[in-house]
Amino acid sequence: MRPVIGITAYVEPAGWAVWRDVPATLVPHAYVRAVTAAGGRAVVLPPDDADADVLGMLDGLLLAGGADVGPERYGEPPDPRTESRPERDAGETTLLTAALAADLPVLGVCRGMQLLAVAYGGLLHQHLPDVVGHDGHRPAPGVYGSHPVRFAAGSRTAEVMAGVDRVNSYHHQAVADPGGLAVTGWADDGVIEAVEDPARRFVLGVQWHPENEPDPRPVAALVRSVVSARSHTHIS
């Protein structure tokens, strides 16, 4: 059976066929495509903070990108440019807390990495251009920024991303304090680009969007972590 990977979803107004601005549960198909290409089965998870029972049917959790994490989650007043989705924050925090407790493999992408940092007691920069002095990480609406990146030698991130020195980004917030996570990747301007928890089976956060890359390595690594654990259990 293929590894079942839950992908957290957006709830946004959307249009298709004759319908316009209908509230919809959705996720960019690039996430699904990346999971499928890696040998997994993608399951889309709408926001729901009633419980985390669905994790019992999943082998891994992918926290997708999207709107800003609400600053109340890390004890800060909101910046006027912060645009959060409280329902999504609540649902994903419920899932993430239970996933970490169960040592379920977790990959956080963009917003997902930021949510990971907050869950580990960290803090966020609410508007990155105020910190780095440029808009290179989100050059324009709907335009990804490409920039150099480096990874900590010996880290899981460096192993997953071996040979990669540029990534794409689309974000105006970033991790300021990783909390209990290890920082394992940086952009050329010092922005934190990757975090991980080396004490767990697989907990990785990346600030860029690997699902949009021809070779979405972090997604493949998430799926591989499940396959590896199954093999080890079978051998044992």
Side-chain angles (χ1 to χ4, degrees), residues 130-143:
D130 290 349
V131 179
V132 297
H134 63 82
D135 294 311
H137 294 269
R138 189 178 69 174
V143 176

Side-chain angles (χ1 to χ4, degrees), residues 19-104:
W19 310 108
R20 296 292 180 270
D21 295 325
V22 178
T25 298
L26 54 84
V27 67
H29 186 66
Y31 289 101
V32 175
R33 184 174 60 239
V35 167
T36 303
R41 160 70 76 176
V43 175
V44 175
L45 304 173
D48 182 347
D49 67 343
D51 57 55
D53 290 358
V54 69
L55 294 181
M57 296 177 277
L58 302 179
D59 298 304
L61 179 65
L62 196 166
L63 302 168
D68 302 327
V69 177
E72 69 278 0
R73 295 266 164 191
Y74 48 96
E76 299 264 336
D79 183 281
R81 295 158 294 191
T82 294
E83 184 179 352
S84 61
R85 298 289 186 275
E87 182 183 34
R88 190 171 172 196
D89 289 347
E92 291 187 0
T93 298
T94 297
L95 289 176
L96 177 56
T97 300
L100 293 174
D103 200 21
L104 195 75

Side-chain angles (χ1 to χ4, degrees), residues 1 25 39 52 62 90 97 117 125 136 144 148 150 156 172 174 178:
M1 180 178 175
T25 298
L62 196 166
T97 300
H125 296 300
Y144 288 88
R150 61 184 175 88
R156 180 191 294 273
H172 83 113

